[in-house]
Amino acid sequence: QCLEQLRPLVAHPAELAFALCFHDAVYNPRAKDNELRSAEWAQAVLQTAGATPDAAQRVHALIMATCHFQPAQAQQPEDGAWMLDIDLSILGASTARFAQYQAQIQAEYAWVPAADYALRRQAVLRSFLQRPAIYQTATMQAWLEAQARHNLQQSLAAV
């Protein structure tokens, strides 16, 4: 839905759509290499389907850009800001949808002791609030920044 509205602004919309579909294709909350495994799988699928090596590499790079807590990459993919902003769009969802998302995250990490989970989740939420802007593009800042900050502040206040 979000990508359709942004399509005219995106350099490689089909690649971005593919990367968005694959970015959590491999997901294990206990693993630390989900993005890498998802990126490699997407790249392999594209290569098998006959995509150009450049296109497959761009999709790989877009998926790897979703490692939000890695140091800033010197060479972000061309549509990397869109990838990150769409990936974080849930933070700017309606209050009700954001509450559902929070419950889903908590359920995924039910294996983590409650006190540890609360501390780690608070740290993650605070890290987004401490950014000068949560979203990288002016478009997504205009659409979602205020609601995202509201959701994050409400979530932190509830803990």
Side-chain angles (χ1 to χ4, degrees):
Q1 175 187 12
C2 191
L3 180 57
E4 285 307 310
Q5 293 174 318
L6 299 172
R7 185 173 291 276
L9 305 172
V10 174
H12 302 282
E15 292 170 15
L16 181 57
F18 195 83
L20 287 165
C21 288
F22 262 84
H23 89 282
D24 280 333
V26 176
Y27 184 76
N28 175 350
R30 296 178 191 233
K32 302 219 183 283
D33 64 345
N34 292 319
E35 290 87 357
L36 177 61
R37 291 175 57 212
S38 294
E40 289 174 347
W41 186 18
Q43 191 172 28
V45 167
L46 285 170
Q47 288 170 340
T48 300
T52 67
D54 286 347
Q57 181 54 44
R58 281 192 299 268
V59 167
H60 186 282
L62 287 169
I63 294 169
M64 292 306 296
T66 65
C67 299
H68 294 283
F69 302 106
Q70 69 181 7
Q73 295 175 339
Q75 189 175 10
Q76 190 176 50
E78 186 173 5
D79 289 327
W82 294 116
M83 180 73 179
L84 292 174
D85 283 359
I86 293 169
D87 187 38
L88 294 179
S89 64
I90 188 66
L91 301 179
S94 70
T95 303
R97 177 61 189 107
F98 184 74
Q100 289 174 335
Y101 165 73
Q102 287 285 89
Q104 292 166 337
I105 295 295
Q106 190 168 8
E108 286 179 24
Y109 288 90
W111 53 274
V112 176
D116 290 344
Y117 173 82
L119 287 174
R120 291 177 186 172
R121 189 67 185 156
Q122 287 173 0
V124 168
L125 299 179
R126 270 195 207 96
S127 74
F128 287 118
L129 279 174
Q130 290 170 350
R131 294 179 180 187
I134 294 168
Y135 299 100
Q136 295 186 20
T137 64
T139 300
M140 295 295 270
Q141 287 172 11
W143 288 354
L144 301 175
E145 187 81 23
Q147 182 66 38
R149 289 190 177 280
H150 170 78
N151 288 339
L152 294 168
Q153 290 164 348
Q154 292 294 104
S155 184
L156 285 169
V159 176

